[in-house]
Amino acid sequence: MRLELKGITKRFGALVANDSIDLVVESGEIHSLLGENGAGKSTLMNVLYGLYQADEGQILLDGKVAKFSGPGDAMAAGIGMVHQHFMLIPVFTVAENVALGHEPTNKLGVLDLDAARALVKKISDRFGFDVDPDALVEDLPVGVQQRVEIIKSLARDAKVLVLDEPTAVLTPQETDELMEIMRGLAKSGTSIVFITHKLREVKAVADKITVIRQGRVVGEAKPSAETKELASMMVGRDVGLTVEKKSAAPGKVVLNVQDLSVLDDREQRAVDHVSFEVRAGEILAIAGVQGNGQTELAEAILGLRGLHSSAGDISISGSSVRGKSVRTILEKGVGYVPEDRQKNGLISEFSIAENLMLNGSFTKPFAKGLGIAFATRNKIADELVKEFDVRTTSAQSAAGKLSGGNQQKVVLARELSREVELLVVSQPTRGVDVGSVEFIHERLVEERNSGKAVLLISTELDEVMALADRIAVMYRGKIVGIVDANTDRAKLGQMMAGVAA
Ligand code: ADP
Ligand code: MG
């Protein structure tokens, strides 16, 4: 089916999330919608899926104007969407999930299980999905769950399939498999809108690319375009994509984690007998798909999980810190960039200057008797804002008003400007604009060059490969192996899926 969006405008109050967007997706085409976080991609697709009503503009399907008052209408018209967060019921089987939620108008009756089972099998066989209709969803790997979502759409006769950042949760192999599936679907005539910010994937699978920035279409591109060219279209200026890095000169062991196990919030073992060390002057990266224990590992190292929730040992520069308070650990010389900066990194209501001072307030040069030297604080804040290129009119504005990328720069500015021996950095560029990624990467390499031990935790394999000196891969709470930084992507991908080094 040919999809045409004409002049779609969607406002949220004063914010124009989509500004007169035109987009044409031909029948059987894989069309990538490329843009940074906040560019307006999901909003546009939510308009197409009937979740939002456009303020202006039209949706045309095979040339006819379509009006959707909800997702039910959109589905009935042949639009399918796989969201970033799956909408499956874990304790149900694949067939049950497919049968459920079918609109009564559809050819499948609600909960007609036999028909659902047959349909899953038919679709699975046709496109090589390899999905068992009777498997429980909760037993399936994430990549397969995603295929179940696609099957759900196809079972409802989707002719246009929207995939919103589908690869964020996948290993490299699962990503390759998904691309194969996309190609197969396109061949059969399904039109695919593939949303991503990952240039590698766009270049590998797209027939056509539309780049959007700040709610507007800024241009179209061919997949053969240079990566650099696509990146600068996304960002609106030239960006460097590689990090200059000389080989590491590791010194003494700073962080030593031995036989560490950590329980998560549900008292399940999230980190399972993990051992590694990080030396001064090196970056050790923990790679892995989201949710394999990385968060709990970082939290245990920082003292954010109580003594009772861990076993084993964590020592920093020779002294044991497991179960010690966060403050004790930070004072030992640890800088921390948390993965959730809104929750753990910043106090939104505080000014940028106040946030910059947070962890340093009990050490020089901020502490002055019991009071705080405000003039000193403000002067240093202004310098840091400048040095870290935080885009704000003043260091006195509330941190919560900054964009995600600029908030991240505030956290980095604070943590990198402290006198520390160890930096624990989780997802340092998540939600950060491509233009700032380069800057953050360069700063992390500088810290390593200056002799700090850096523990980088990242689910972005490109980031891990660009920055790490050594790579430890986590899978289901265990370290599958610790390998050299020049290990190839395919090998790392296998390790991310649990195959030992
Ligand atoms: P993308 O998917 O490209 O990352 P989104 O479409 O999610 O971007 O967001 C575009 C802009 O619209 C952002 O500034 C976002 O904060 C804003 N936005 C998205 N959804 C809503 C909403 N429901 N209410 C208010 N603002 C929103
Ligand atoms: Mg989005």
Side-chain angles (χ1 to χ4, degrees), residues 34 165 167-168 170-173 175-176 179 194 196-204 227 231 234 240-245 283 285-289 427-430 434 437-438 440-442 444-445 456-471 473 484-490 492-493 496:
L34 181 67
E165 305 265 3
T167 62
L170 302 182
T171 64
Q173 271 80 6
T175 300
D176 288 346
M179 287 184 183
F194 173 44
T196 185
H197 61 271
K198 295 185 188 175
L199 299 167
R200 170 195 310 280
E201 295 170 359
V202 168
K203 286 175 64 71
T227 307
M234 270 167 80
L241 295 169
T242 46
V243 198
E244 293 288 328
K245 189 158 140 279
I283 299 177
I286 306 277
V289 176
Q427 310 296 354
T429 57
R430 179 179 287 170
V434 179
V437 169
E438 177 190 21
I440 292 172
H441 283 176
E442 279 171 359
L444 291 173
V445 170
L456 166 72
I457 297 167
S458 176
T459 54
E460 296 276 344
L461 196 49
D462 285 323
E463 176 163 81
V464 164
M465 292 174 79
L467 296 179
D469 297 306
R470 293 187 300 135
I471 302 170
V473 181
D484 233 73
N486 52 26
T487 305
D488 67 46
R489 174 177 294 272
L492 290 168
M496 286 164 75

Side-chain angles (χ1 to χ4, degrees), residues 254 329-336 414-424 447 450-453:
V254 176
I329 292 170
L330 292 176
E331 281 178 335
K332 278 227 170 308
V334 181
Y336 179 42
R414 181 182 71 217
E415 299 304 307
L416 301 190
S417 59
R418 294 173 53 225
E419 296 267 319
V420 301
E421 281 192 272
L422 170 68
L423 273 173
V424 178
E447 296 302 316
S450 76
K452 287 180 190 171

Side-chain angles (χ1 to χ4, degrees), residues 36-43 84 164-165 195:
E36 301 216 85
N37 266 294
K41 307 178 294 292
S42 294
T43 300
Q84 261 161 315
D164 192 351
E165 305 265 3
I195 301 184

